[in-house]
Amino acid sequence: MPAHVIADDGEALSVAAALADEFRAGACERDSGRRLPREELDRLSASGLLGVTVPAEHGGADIRQETLAELFRLLAAADASLAQIPQSHFVYVNVIRRQGTQEQQKFFYGELLAGRRLGNAQSEAGSKHVQDIRTRLDPQPDGSYVLTGVKHYSTGALFADWIPVLARAEDDNLHVALVPSDAPGLTVVDDWDGMGQRTTASGTVRLDGVPVPADRILPHHLTFRGPQLHGAIAQLLHAAIDTGIAGGALDEAAEFVRTKSRPWFESGAETAVEDPLLIQRFGELALQVRASEALLREAALRVDAARADLTDDSAAEASLAVAAAKAHAGTTAVEVAGALFEVAGTRSALNSLNLHRHWRDARTHTLHDPARWKIQHLGRYVLSGTKPPRHGLL
């Protein structure tokens, strides 16, 4: 069945909200049983949401980044694991938009509008640092290439139709090779055993002499030779996921206190929701969530403004706004998900209720990259006007 084609931002948000309600119902069971969300991802594909950033001239809605961030926030509030899976999809759609030839864009935009999913084979383990990429893209006599390497934390690869692979070519520059999931020599291993985001299947991708035609390769290194939003867009979606986790945890905590918690006897209250100290704590947590949501919106608006007029200054402002949103949202997600137990009481710790999935998801996802470096770049900009680096993680 072909995917629906979404017309505009309003429809994208409406579809996302409906899917979030649908996905929320099974999120607890999927996490506790580590049931991978294949059916849910098929629903996501069929809904047309995976094609919403395709440019209008290619038949897509080309939604604003403000809308895309809200879409991810809605999905993450319902199921943080499920929301994480398409994050790389949209990151690499942006790579196609930035570096793809007209022929490559025409082909892959058609795939996206048909509901095809992009995965991720980017990070490597055991290397010197996160940007020490050792996977090789070696040229062949017929003009094609061969991929060799091992990737880890490959969120989305197990469910993908196409797997973007970050590799170095003979010139040692970074390229992205778009490989079909059934390519010979490619193996996706479901060996992710993280305490949180348990159903993302963020496992290992092995590349053993995988053939790649030349027209399936993008010169990713060129992205960073001028003003760019690659990192800002990728990090904006991470910030949206953290913000969604925080909001979802707060909502579940409030529902638990309304329906199951007892007031502390010293409060004199008849119900938990009348306990003045609980009211105070919920107000504090709501303030944190609202601040994260506001920073997320501000960051998305900065990214949209920079997309409309991309300069060194606008790119820097967008990156710093996203850095602020991500740093705040990460702290908020962990705090609110942990405070759930503080406000809900002893019963909330029962393993059968699986309320700890919010904290496990928050703690796991916020390890993606350190917020302390984002704060460093914010400080340097304030004190000396130093623009953030163009490395794709800011």
Side-chain angles (χ1 to χ4, degrees), residues 4-9 11 48 50-63 97 109-110 112-113:
H4 173 66
V5 177
I6 287 175
D8 53 31
D9 293 69
E11 185 183 5
L50 297 181
V52 291
T53 57
V54 170
E57 59 267 28
H58 289 272
D62 200 10
I63 64 171
R97 183 175 189 145
Y109 288 153
L112 298 170
L113 292 175

Side-chain angles (χ1 to χ4, degrees), residues 105-180:
Q105 290 176 353
K106 180 179 179 180
F107 174 79
F108 281 107
Y109 288 153
E111 291 285 279
L112 298 170
L113 292 175
R116 306 284 190 268
R117 296 191 286 265
L118 304 182
N120 153 46
Q122 179 169 297
S123 295
E124 299 180 10
S127 55
K128 185 177 180 181
H129 50 69
V130 70
Q131 292 200 323
D132 181 19
I133 302 298
R134 300 177 181 179
T135 298
R136 303 304 303 185
L137 190 61
D138 295 316
Q140 302 301 295
D142 64 358
S144 67
Y145 291 79
V146 168
L147 270 173
T148 305
V150 179
K151 298 290 188 176
H152 298 268
Y153 312 117
S154 301
T155 304
L158 188 67
F159 313 107
D161 299 288
W162 292 90
I163 301 177
V165 180
L166 194 61
R168 295 195 183 276
E170 68 273 20
D171 57 6
D172 213 37
N173 284 322
L174 283 175
H175 292 69
V176 171
L178 289 147
V179 181

Side-chain angles (χ1 to χ4, degrees), residues 67-391:
T67 302
L68 187 63
E70 177 63 7
L71 185 159
F72 269 81
R73 189 194 68 81
L74 289 169
L75 293 176
D79 184 338
S81 284
L82 206 159
Q84 178 61 33
I85 293 169
Q87 190 268 347
S88 291
H89 171 96
F90 285 99
V91 170
Y92 283 102
V93 173
N94 193 45
V95 174
I96 293 169
R97 183 175 189 145
R98 176 87 179 195
Q99 298 302 341
T101 65
Q102 288 186 352
E103 292 77 13
Q104 288 170 327
Q105 290 176 353
K106 180 179 179 180
F107 174 79
F108 281 107
Y109 288 153
E111 291 285 279
L112 298 170
L113 292 175
R116 306 284 190 268
R117 296 191 286 265
L118 304 182
N120 153 46
Q122 179 169 297
S123 295
E124 299 180 10
S127 55
K128 185 177 180 181
H129 50 69
V130 70
Q131 292 200 323
D132 181 19
I133 302 298
R134 300 177 181 179
T135 298
R136 303 304 303 185
L137 190 61
D138 295 316
Q140 302 301 295
D142 64 358
S144 67
Y145 291 79
V146 168
L147 270 173
T148 305
V150 179
K151 298 290 188 176
H152 298 268
Y153 312 117
S154 301
T155 304
L158 188 67
F159 313 107
D161 299 288
W162 292 90
I163 301 177
V165 180
L166 194 61
R168 295 195 183 276
E170 68 273 20
D171 57 6
D172 213 37
N173 284 322
L174 283 175
H175 292 69
V176 171
L178 289 147
V179 181
S181 57
D182 60 354
L186 185 149
T187 307
V188 181
V189 185
D190 178 21
D191 57 0
W192 171 244
D193 66 348
M195 68 173 181
Q197 293 195 298
R198 296 182 64 199
T199 61
T200 60
S202 301
T204 301
V205 170
R206 300 186 182 280
L207 305 148
D208 184 15
V210 177
V212 185
D215 62 357
R216 294 291 179 263
I217 297 171
L218 305 174
H220 190 42
H221 61 284
L222 297 181
T223 299
F224 307 103
R225 292 188 177 175
Q228 53 81 36
L229 296 171
H230 176 80
I233 290 172
Q235 291 289 309
L236 180 70
L237 302 185
H238 283 306
I241 292 169
D242 288 339
T243 304
I245 293 172
L250 184 62
D251 288 345
E252 190 143 12
E255 178 63 17
F256 193 95
V257 169
R258 281 192 294 266
T259 59
K260 297 181 177 65
S261 294
R262 298 180 296 180
W264 184 243
F265 71 94
E266 292 180 283
S267 71
E270 289 296 316
T271 65
V273 296
E274 297 171 301
D275 183 328
L277 297 185
L278 276 181
I279 292 171
Q280 177 70 20
R281 187 62 176 133
F282 268 99
E284 292 168 350
L285 297 174
L287 182 60
Q288 288 293 97
V289 172
R290 284 172 175 259
S292 287
E293 290 172 350
L295 284 168
L296 180 68
R297 286 191 295 271
E298 168 66 16
L301 289 172
R302 293 278 187 171
V303 173
D304 279 326
R307 288 180 73 201
D309 182 19
L310 187 60
T311 65
D312 279 329
D313 288 338
S314 67
E317 290 290 344
S319 290
L320 292 167
V322 172
K326 179 66 171 64
H328 193 279
T331 299
T332 300
V334 173
E335 179 182 352
V336 174
L340 183 156
F341 304 99
E342 170 196 337
V343 297
T346 306
R347 187 180 175 189
S348 64
L350 293 176
N351 197 54
S352 58
L353 296 176
N354 198 23
L355 293 175
H356 47 69
R357 73 184 185 279
H358 298 290
W359 184 87
R360 290 186 287 103
D361 285 340
R363 185 64 282 177
T364 301
H365 184 254
T366 54
L367 298 175
H368 181 272
D369 55 287
R372 58 187 176 271
W373 277 100
K374 300 180 189 305
I375 294 169
Q376 279 280 314
H377 292 304
L378 284 163
R380 289 171 183 172
Y381 186 74
V382 169
L383 287 173
S384 61
T386 302
K387 291 182 173 65
R390 298 170 179 166
H391 54 40

